[in-house]
Amino acid sequence: MAGAWALVTTASTACFSDNGATLTSAVELTTGTTTDPTTTTDPTTTTVSPTTTTVSPTTGSGTTSTGACVDIWYFDIDGDSFGGALEDEGCGPPPPGYTLEPLDCDDSKPKVHPGAEELCDGLDNDCDLGVDEWPAASESACNGCQAVQADGHYYYFCATPELAWDQAGAACQLLLADLVVVENNLENEFLVTSIQKVADRWWIGLSDLALEGAFVWVDGQPLDPNIKLWANGEPNNQSTLEPGDANCVAISTDLLNANWRDQVCAHPYPYICESLSF
C-alpha cells in the first residue's frame, strides 16, 4: 500500500490488538485507504469507531459490543424484589442479588417495599410514608386505634394513648389522616355509635385557635352554621376540668345527645382520625 501511515490520537493513547478487533479510543489514519469492513474509507482520513465492554459484577467476565447498553441494577439486600439506594450499572437482566425495581424504603426488611400490605408492626410496610394505617387496624386495634371503613372514608378511633389536641393531629398524620371533619349530623351519629366507651370526650378536628369564636376545621373550611351540634351553653371558651382558654372541640359522650364542647387544647383525650379511602 502506497504512502506513509501516521497514528493520530486526541484524548488518550490508542491501543489495539494485532488483528485490529479491539480499540479503546478513536484514531485517524492519514493518507491512504483501508479495506477493513469496520472502518469508513475517506481519501484523506479513516476513522475507527470505539468499542464498549460490559463486565458482570458477579463473574468479572465481559462482552464487547459497538452499541450502548446501560441498565441500572439495584442491590436487593432483603430479597423482596425491590432495591434500595445502592446501585450498579450493567446490561440486560440483573444477576442474582440485584433488581431493576428501586424505591424500597428499607432494604433490610423483606416485609417493607412498595405495594406491601400494611401490618401492625410500627413500620411503613408499603413505603407510602404512613405507619400502621389501613388495613393494619381493621380487624383489631393497633397501637390503641381501631380502624373502620365507611362511606368512602377510613376512621380511626384512637382510645389510647390520650393526647393533647395538636399531638392527636400529629398522630393522625402518621396514619395518612387528620382529625375528623364532621360534615353533617348523620356523620356525627355514626361517630358516636362507633366510639368505644372508654372516655367521655374525644377530640375532633375543629378549633378557634386562629380567632376566638371563628371555628375552623383542620382542612381549612369554616364550620357550617347549619350544623347544630353544640351542647347547651357551648361554646363558652372554658372547661369545667381545668382553667384556660377552651379553643379545641371534643365530642362529649357523657351528654345525652353526644354533642360538642370546646375544651382546653392541652388536655389529653382520645381522638378520632379520618382519611379518604385509598
Side-chain angles (χ1 to χ4, degrees), residues 17 28 44 57 61 65 80 88 105 107 109 117 127 145 156 165 196 228 261:
S17 66
E28 293 182 354
T44 57
S61 61
S65 65
D80 60 7
D88 201 351
C105 54
D107 202 28
K109 297 178 175 62
E117 181 179 359
C127 296
C145 298
Y156 301 88
W165 189 83
Q196 300 174 359
K228 308 294 185 181
R261 293 179 182 268

Side-chain angles (χ1 to χ4, degrees), residues 133-139 146-157 187 190-191 194 273-278:
E133 76 276 15
W134 182 275
S138 59
E139 295 184 2
Q146 178 68 57
V148 176
Q149 185 176 21
D151 197 26
H153 295 250
Y154 296 130
Y155 296 92
Y156 301 88
F157 297 87
E187 185 175 18
F190 163 76
L191 297 177
S194 301
C273 308
E274 175 190 23
S275 74
L276 293 176
S277 299
F278 48 82

Side-chain angles (χ1 to χ4, degrees), residues 136-195:
S138 59
E139 295 184 2
S140 59
C142 177
N143 301 321
C145 298
Q146 178 68 57
V148 176
Q149 185 176 21
D151 197 26
H153 295 250
Y154 296 130
Y155 296 92
Y156 301 88
F157 297 87
C158 300
T160 58
E162 297 183 359
L163 299 173
W165 189 83
D166 59 342
Q167 295 173 333
C172 289
Q173 290 172 11
L174 283 177
L175 297 169
L176 304 181
D178 211 332
L179 286 168
V180 64
V181 174
V182 183
E183 296 181 354
N184 49 53
N185 290 30
L186 186 62
E187 185 175 18
N188 193 73
E189 291 177 9
F190 163 76
L191 297 177
V192 172
T193 57
S194 301
I195 287 175

Side-chain angles (χ1 to χ4, degrees), residues 78-273:
D78 56 13
D80 60 7
S81 300
F82 287 86
L86 299 176
E87 63 183 50
D88 201 351
E89 291 185 356
C91 181
Y98 292 80
T99 179
L100 295 176
E101 299 293 336
L103 305 180
D104 195 331
C105 54
D106 189 339
D107 202 28
S108 67
K109 297 178 175 62
K111 292 184 178 180
V112 175
H113 57 79
E117 181 179 359
E118 192 68 26
L119 306 173
C120 182
D121 56 5
L123 301 174
D124 178 13
N125 297 101
D126 52 4
C127 296
D128 62 356
L129 302 181
V131 177
D132 296 341
E133 76 276 15
W134 182 275
S138 59
E139 295 184 2
S140 59
C142 177
N143 301 321
C145 298
Q146 178 68 57
V148 176
Q149 185 176 21
D151 197 26
H153 295 250
Y154 296 130
Y155 296 92
Y156 301 88
F157 297 87
C158 300
T160 58
E162 297 183 359
L163 299 173
W165 189 83
D166 59 342
Q167 295 173 333
C172 289
Q173 290 172 11
L174 283 177
L175 297 169
L176 304 181
D178 211 332
L179 286 168
V180 64
V181 174
V182 183
E183 296 181 354
N184 49 53
N185 290 30
L186 186 62
E187 185 175 18
N188 193 73
E189 291 177 9
F190 163 76
L191 297 177
V192 172
T193 57
S194 301
I195 287 175
Q196 300 174 359
K197 186 64 176 178
V198 296
D200 291 334
R201 299 173 189 181
W202 293 65
W203 286 129
I204 61 176
L206 185 65
S207 75
D208 65 347
L209 285 166
L211 178 64
E212 179 59 35
F215 285 90
V216 178
W217 294 104
V218 290
D219 63 0
Q221 297 299 312
L223 174 64
D224 184 349
N226 294 318
I227 296 180
K228 308 294 185 181
L229 289 169
W230 291 106
N232 290 335
E234 299 285 349
N236 58 13
N237 197 33
Q238 61 184 2
S239 171
T240 58
L241 300 178
E242 57 191 316
D245 291 335
N247 297 128
C248 299
V249 180
I251 292 179
S252 294
T253 58
D254 56 336
L255 300 176
L256 179 62
N257 295 320
N259 290 338
W260 301 347
R261 293 179 182 268
D262 56 349
Q263 300 288 282
V264 176
C265 300
H267 191 90
Y269 287 129
Y271 52 96
I272 307 171
C273 308

